[in-house]
Amino acid sequence: MTKQIIATVGEKEITKDDLNVALQHAPKNQAMQFNTPEGRKYLLSEMVTQEMLYLDAKERGLDQNEDFLKEVETMKENLLKQYAINHLLKGVTVSDDEVREYYEQHPEQFVAQESMRARHILTNDEATAKMILDEIKGGKSFEDAAAQYSECPSRAQGGDLGHFERGKMVPEFEEAAFALETGAMSDLVKTQFGYHIIKVEEKKGPQTIAFDEVKGQIQEYLLRNKQNQLYREYTNQLKDKYEITINEELLK
């Protein structure tokens, strides 16, 4: 396949593939900006500039500068260390059977807490809250009262807070809400935000989370554990291979 050369700097060719690779490696917040005709033109200009700087540095002999060579050696060391770790761990895998076995042997880790769906009406004034409560008891629908009186953004949904688990709401609200039966409405509940009237739409007890929902998380957890174990075992073997001395005094 013929190379699509979009620029040259000296003898260096910059191809359309090079530009596409640069686009792929651009920061996410800049990728969309660059992936336009003007953006690609700007990115190509930067690539040309970088090539000019590289050629200029070579001509000036900066690649033989002692400080540069030291930096190169440091980078080579760090890259080799990371490559060695990656090479050591690349064969570590976790089977589906191992994931399933962990799930079945640790059921307590995969239980969703008690949860509920509720609506509420929030006001800052106790007298207003009592008036609203009386209107609802007199026949006004909870949703209409929420839309008319509530000072919470949930008023737009008739006071609907959606589903939430224990521990997600302030203690006073949570205690009152979870004490109610499905379909029941609370008296006034005072919290740091004001006065609430709560209506329970649905309640769910603690439930086991389905295997498919947590399979990926378990796999990642087991993989990290296996990799960490292999890393520790291998590096402990290396301690017997190399003589190591540590000056504890310099650590103080």
Side-chain angles (χ1 to χ4, degrees), residues 106-162:
H106 300 82
E108 73 286 351
Q109 295 183 15
F110 308 107
V111 177
Q113 296 188 48
E114 182 182 6
S115 65
M116 70 185 316
R117 179 183 168 217
R119 298 178 185 271
H120 85 141
I121 299 169
L122 172 66
T123 65
N124 290 323
D125 179 66
E126 183 178 8
T128 302
K130 288 181 178 178
M131 179 269 292
I132 298 169
L133 187 60
D134 288 340
E135 285 194 18
I136 296 173
K137 289 179 178 178
K140 191 180 187 74
S141 77
F142 194 96
E143 293 84 347
D144 289 344
Q148 182 176 350
Y149 297 116
S150 184
E151 297 173 27
C152 174
S154 64
R155 65 183 295 172
Q157 291 80 44
D160 193 353
L161 295 171

Side-chain angles (χ1 to χ4, degrees), residues 14-40:
I14 300 176
T15 67
K16 189 173 182 179
D17 286 342
D18 294 330
L19 182 61
N20 289 335
V21 169
L23 276 170
Q24 291 172 10
H25 289 86
K28 289 184 178 180
N29 61 334
Q30 298 179 9
M32 290 184 63
Q33 175 186 346
F34 285 149
N35 201 16
T36 63
E38 286 301 315
R40 293 168 75 89

